[in-house]
Amino acid sequence: MTSKLGLEQEIIFTDKKGWVRNSRDVLDDPRLQTAEFFDEEGLLCQGEVKTNPFETVTETILDLYFKLRFVDFVSQEHGAYAVPMSEVGAGKGQHNLINPKVRDRITIYNQLFGKDNVISLLSNSGGHGHFSHLPHQAASQQVLLNSLE
């Protein structure tokens, strides 16, 4: 049994000039609403693209590439661009309170961390990976994950 890798890449929607674009119209597109690999995030200018779990980095990157291209294609039909990065604290992203899953998460975050901290948290998200756990290689996996930070 080998470990598997899955990636989650945050994207930000921008306009043609690269400015943050709050994109309810893109998020409401039925192709993204039904795509299992796409999730809305805490701000209306953000989304997340998820890969399937694979045993090789090459397979994972190819999966991510094609899914990012699809999201960008859909975005451009709405006059937006999907850029693989986070909102990076620009402060122009509006809270995504329409999606119940996101709204509930933001409500809980506000109670736990306070509104000012939640704004910072939501606007500074980024890509990350998930690795399957192999009990007989726990120490090696920990060393690998620490080296990737």
Side-chain angles (χ1 to χ4, degrees):
M1 176 182 190
T2 60
S3 185
K4 291 189 177 185
L5 163 68
L7 297 178
E8 294 183 4
Q9 177 62 56
E10 307 294 332
I11 60 167
I12 184 171
F13 298 109
T14 70
D15 64 15
K16 193 173 186 176
K17 293 182 180 180
W19 295 101
V20 169
R21 182 182 185 279
N22 289 294
S23 300
R24 182 78 260 158
D25 56 333
V26 178
L27 296 172
D28 284 340
D29 189 290
R31 293 168 292 181
L32 295 183
Q33 287 285 318
T34 58
E36 292 182 9
F37 62 85
F38 183 80
D39 281 331
E40 294 182 28
E41 286 294 318
L43 300 176
L44 291 173
C45 61
Q46 293 174 318
E48 179 178 78
V49 174
K50 302 176 290 192
T51 70
N52 294 333
F54 291 101
E55 291 183 2
T56 70
V57 172
T58 301
E59 292 172 301
T60 307
I61 296 301
L62 285 173
D63 188 48
L64 179 63
Y65 172 78
F66 288 113
K67 289 174 178 175
L68 286 171
R69 293 293 302 140
F70 176 78
V71 173
D72 192 47
F73 173 80
V74 171
S75 302
Q76 287 186 38
E77 288 186 352
H78 294 275
Y81 296 87
V83 180
M85 62 180 280
S86 73
E87 204 261 358
V88 294
K92 301 297 180 185
Q94 299 169 352
H95 283 168
N96 182 2
L97 299 176
I98 295 169
N99 181 308
K101 181 175 130 183
V102 176
R103 182 184 59 236
D104 293 346
R105 183 175 57 186
I106 290 173
T107 300
I108 292 168
Y109 284 176
N110 282 337
Q111 293 169 354
L112 290 173
F113 307 120
K115 287 185 179 184
D116 291 340
N117 292 327
V118 172
I119 291 168
S120 178
L121 171 71
L122 294 176
S123 63
N124 287 292
S125 57
H128 54 276
H130 295 266
F131 297 87
S132 59
H133 177 69
L134 298 175
H136 62 285
Q137 293 183 350
S140 297
Q141 283 188 302
Q142 185 64 41
V143 169
L144 170 65
L145 294 177
N146 286 340
S147 69
L148 294 175
E149 284 189 7

